[in-house]
Amino acid sequence: MRKFKILFLVFVIILGTVLFFRNDILDIYSKLFLKLPKIEKEIGSLIKEAEKEISLPPPLRAVEEVPEAFLTQAGVIQWTNLQREKYGLPPLKENTKLNVSAQLKIQDMFEKQYFSHYSPTGEGVGDLVEITGYEFIAIGENLALGNFQNDEVLVQGWMESPGHRANILNDRYQEIGVSVQKGLFEGKSTWLAVQHFGLPLTACPQPDEIIETKIEAKQTQIKELQKTLNTLQIEIRTMRPKRGTAYIQKIEEYNTLVSGYNALVDETKTLINQYNNQVKSFNQCVAGVE
């Protein structure tokens, strides 16, 4: 009987305690469901260095030469664009940087006495346009050696050569640079001619760098918030007792930060999708996909 009374008394004490702290307990348990942060994502697509197209048909040597040969830069560009017009293609715009790279090529060939797309030390058109600061997606080089009668005859000679013709009539090229010069080559007074065709990098709409900067800044914020949340999680797990004002406030602090964290992740995802759509458009343009 005494044992029963003791058990009953314990039961009453426990029940009273539960009833006394009922509101606190319910409040605590209502807040114990910690919000979980979303997992942030890195940029899914980055601009890779564009696959640069370089077209280098075998250099052309004149078959028939005349002593009164005379070539001009402007004339070569004019006759090139007349050929493009004949085939329904837009004219190429003269680019000063490509003019300079073409001139550098001629000077190098005369100086080192070679007639090739690559110098004896391995430099090619890509290296030359890099020197001038011309950024490109596609580039082509036509070379000619010999005493062609005039600009029209020179361009016609290129047109009768499949590789050179393909460069002249390439519908992707937008710009041209030309250089012609007479000098001594292999002990003979002769003309060298160079055409540089280009599709500039600016022809394709590039992704917005401001968006990329915003993404990077937000990702840094996300990582810092994540560190803070991890610290708070540890504090909440180790707090004793797991009730009372301090405990509840700590959970509320955590959940408030999680809400901000998740909103930041959503904003970043939106920017990433916007940026990646721009990357996709850029890559399609580079690849020549309409």
Side-chain angles (χ1 to χ4, degrees):
M1 187 67 177
R2 184 180 177 187
K3 184 177 180 181
F4 176 79
K5 288 181 179 180
I6 292 172
L7 290 172
F8 180 78
L9 181 60
V10 170
F11 174 77
V12 169
I13 291 171
I14 293 172
L15 180 61
T17 301
V18 170
L19 291 174
F20 183 80
F21 291 107
R22 180 175 181 274
N23 289 336
D24 275 353
I25 292 171
L26 290 176
D27 191 45
I28 290 170
Y29 274 92
S30 70
K31 296 178 185 297
L32 277 178
F33 295 97
L34 301 183
K35 296 179 182 179
L36 297 175
K38 297 176 181 178
I39 299 174
E40 76 279 7
K41 292 185 178 180
E42 298 293 333
I43 298 177
S45 300
L46 293 174
I47 299 178
K48 298 178 181 178
E49 184 175 353
E51 289 292 331
K52 295 178 179 177
E53 299 175 19
I54 300 179
S55 176
L56 307 172
L60 177 70
R61 288 179 180 263
V63 177
E64 296 182 7
E65 300 189 73
V66 296
E68 66 274 17
F70 187 76
L71 303 176
T72 67
Q73 179 191 58
V76 172
I77 293 174
Q78 178 186 5
W79 283 102
T80 298
N81 279 329
L82 285 173
Q83 288 291 343
R84 288 176 64 87
E85 182 182 352
K86 187 189 299 185
Y87 290 90
L89 296 170
L92 298 170
K93 181 180 178 181
E94 184 177 356
N95 181 283
T96 55
K97 291 180 179 179
L98 290 180
N99 280 339
V100 172
S101 64
Q103 180 61 28
L104 289 174
K105 180 64 177 179
I106 277 188
Q107 290 173 349
D108 195 53
M109 287 192 292
F110 272 127
E111 181 183 336
K112 297 175 182 173
Q113 292 291 292
Y114 72 93
F115 183 53
S116 168
H117 290 292
Y118 292 96
S119 74
T121 50
E123 290 83 14
V125 61
D127 303 293
L128 295 174
V129 296
E130 185 177 346
I131 291 173
T132 69
Y134 185 81
E135 295 183 303
F136 67 93
I137 295 168
I139 203 157
E141 181 178 72
N142 282 355
L143 302 179
L145 167 67
N147 292 315
F148 296 85
Q149 182 176 359
N150 53 37
D151 304 323
E152 180 183 5
V153 172
L154 168 62
V155 172
Q156 186 57 43
W158 274 326
M159 286 295 292
E160 292 171 0
S161 168
H164 300 94
R165 176 190 179 93
N167 272 345
I168 291 173
L169 300 182
N170 190 320
D171 61 359
R172 297 197 72 198
Y173 293 143
Q174 296 180 358
E175 298 176 332
I176 188 173
V178 167
S179 181
V180 294
Q181 186 177 324
K182 189 175 184 180
L184 286 176
F185 187 82
E186 297 177 344
K188 175 185 174 182
S189 179
T190 189
W191 285 86
L192 278 174
V194 177
Q195 285 180 313
H196 281 172
F197 304 91
L199 174 63
L201 188 63
T202 53
C204 290
Q206 298 181 60
D208 191 340
E209 291 182 0
I210 294 176
I211 294 178
E212 185 179 10
T213 301
K214 286 181 179 178
I215 291 171
E216 291 171 353
K218 287 182 182 294
Q219 286 180 327
T220 298
Q221 288 179 267
I222 286 170
K223 288 177 182 178
E224 291 302 316
L225 269 176
Q226 195 171 49
K227 290 178 184 177
T228 304
L229 288 171
N230 289 339
T231 300
L232 281 173
Q233 276 187 339
I234 294 171
E235 290 179 10
I236 291 169
R237 290 194 190 111
T238 57
M239 281 186 75
R240 296 291 185 275
K242 292 190 179 297
R243 62 181 175 79
T245 303
Y247 185 67
I248 293 172
Q249 285 178 345
K250 187 65 69 174
I251 291 176
E252 288 177 341
E253 179 186 356
Y254 176 87
N255 286 341
T256 299
L257 281 176
V258 168
S259 295
Y261 177 95
N262 288 340
L264 189 59
V265 169
D266 287 338
E267 292 171 12
T268 307
K269 285 180 180 177
T270 299
L271 287 174
I272 287 172
N273 289 335
Q274 183 181 352
Y275 182 82
N276 286 342
N277 286 334
Q278 292 179 358
V279 171
K280 183 179 178 181
S281 297
F282 175 82
N283 289 336
Q284 287 177 337
C285 177
V286 169
V289 178
E290 297 296 334

